[in-house]
Amino acid sequence: MAIYEILQHPDERLSQPGRVVEEVTPEIKRIVENMFETLYAATNCAALAATQLGIPLRITVIDFSEKKDQPLCLINPEVISGEGETFTAEGCMSVANVHEKVKRYERVVVRAMDLDGEIKEYVEDGFMAKCMQHEIDHLNGVLFIDHLSALKRKIVNLRFRRG
Ligand code: NI
């Protein structure tokens, strides 16, 4: 087991989409174990995408349960449909100390492969729906701050300007 480093904005790897995982190999399982270890080691971390950890694959791990005992791993997840709209604050382990409201679907149907290589559909709302949309964005090289207005994004980015 190992803990991965969480890439920080404006690391350009955060803007690169992950590759499709063709098959759940022992190597993929090992990566997922390490992703969960990284998730559980971080403070206030609900979910992580592999692309945030320097691993350019379409994998995300989610667990925001109080006891951290409800791990969910989605491989090649896709939003199949969405309805309703929410506008609530989000944060991200890769964008320190920024919390801004983002528009999301209120309910989503997400299709993904699980660790047994089976394709499943997840019908979700509330925080899980928001979380899945945020993570799928990561796998497409999109950060939540990319959804902000140009002006807001500019103001946020001033904080991350390199020396
Ligand atoms: Ni994030």
Side-chain angles (χ1 to χ4, degrees), residues 58-60 72-80 109-115 117-122 132 136 139:
R58 302 185 76 83
I59 305 173
T60 179
L72 175 65
C73 172
L74 304 176
I75 300 170
N76 307 328
E78 281 178 90
V79 176
I80 298 303
V109 179
V110 167
R111 186 181 295 156
M113 186 159 73
D114 69 11
L115 273 175
E118 283 177 33
I119 306 294
K120 287 189 176 165
E121 281 190 8
Y122 301 83
M132 284 182 173
I136 290 169
L139 301 180

Side-chain angles (χ1 to χ4, degrees), residues 23 37 67 90 110 121 123-124 131 161:
E23 195 189 345
E37 196 176 10
K67 291 182 178 168
E90 292 186 20
V110 167
E121 281 190 8
V123 182
E124 302 291 347
C131 206
R161 210 157 52 173

Side-chain angles (χ1 to χ4, degrees), residues 47 52 91-94 134-135 138 143-144:
Q52 279 180 282
C92 179
M93 298 305 287
S94 292
H134 179 116
E135 296 311 311
H138 272 302
L143 295 177
F144 80 104

Side-chain angles (χ1 to χ4, degrees), residues 4 11-12 14 16 24 30 35 37-38 56 75 80 83 88 91 93 97 114 116 124 133 142 147 153-154 156-157 161:
Y4 295 124
D11 192 306
E12 63 179 25
L14 291 167
Q16 292 162 5
V24 182
R30 194 184 57 81
M35 287 177 69
E37 196 176 10
T38 306
I75 300 170
I80 298 303
E83 59 176 28
T88 57
M93 298 305 287
N97 302 317
D114 69 11
D116 296 318
E124 302 291 347
Q133 291 171 84
V142 174
H147 292 292
R153 202 162 57 236
K154 208 169 182 180
V156 165
N157 276 327
R161 210 157 52 173

Side-chain angles (χ1 to χ4, degrees), residues 59-74:
I59 305 173
T60 179
V61 295
I62 301 173
D63 190 351
F64 48 83
S65 65
E66 207 168 310
K67 291 182 178 168
K68 298 289 179 193
D69 57 359
Q70 288 168 49
L72 175 65
C73 172
L74 304 176

